[in-house]
Amino acid sequence: MSDWTSLWYVWLILLAVFLLLLCGVSASCIKFCCQKKRLPVETFPRHPCDLTVIGIDSDSTAHSTVT
């Protein structure tokens, strides 16, 4: 069996994985904190809109011409 301290490339790989994990956690924490402080901005201003609904019976002439 090899001695773990002599396997320098294993420690290098573990260090690289640890640094990538640390960078990922730091970036997501920073992103979360920045989104929390930022005020929500509406992309489109809300305008009141009118909606018209017309009921059609099966006996009406408009229904028979549409179908």
Side-chain angles (χ1 to χ4, degrees):
M1 294 295 278
S2 299
D3 188 20
W4 279 100
T5 55
S6 65
L7 300 175
W8 60 270
Y9 53 90
V10 174
W11 292 111
L12 184 66
I13 292 171
L14 287 174
L15 180 65
V17 169
F18 176 73
L19 288 175
L20 284 173
L21 185 65
L22 186 66
C23 287
V25 169
S26 305
S28 42
C29 285
I30 291 171
K31 184 179 177 183
F32 178 74
C33 289
C34 288
Q35 282 181 350
K36 209 172 189 181
K37 290 180 183 177
R38 194 180 301 165
L39 293 174
V41 177
E42 291 185 17
T43 54
F44 299 105
R46 295 185 181 191
H47 298 290
C49 55
D50 295 330
L51 178 66
T52 304
V53 178
I54 300 172
I56 298 177
D57 294 335
S58 61
D59 296 335
S60 69
T61 56
H63 185 265
S64 59
T65 56
V66 169
T67 55

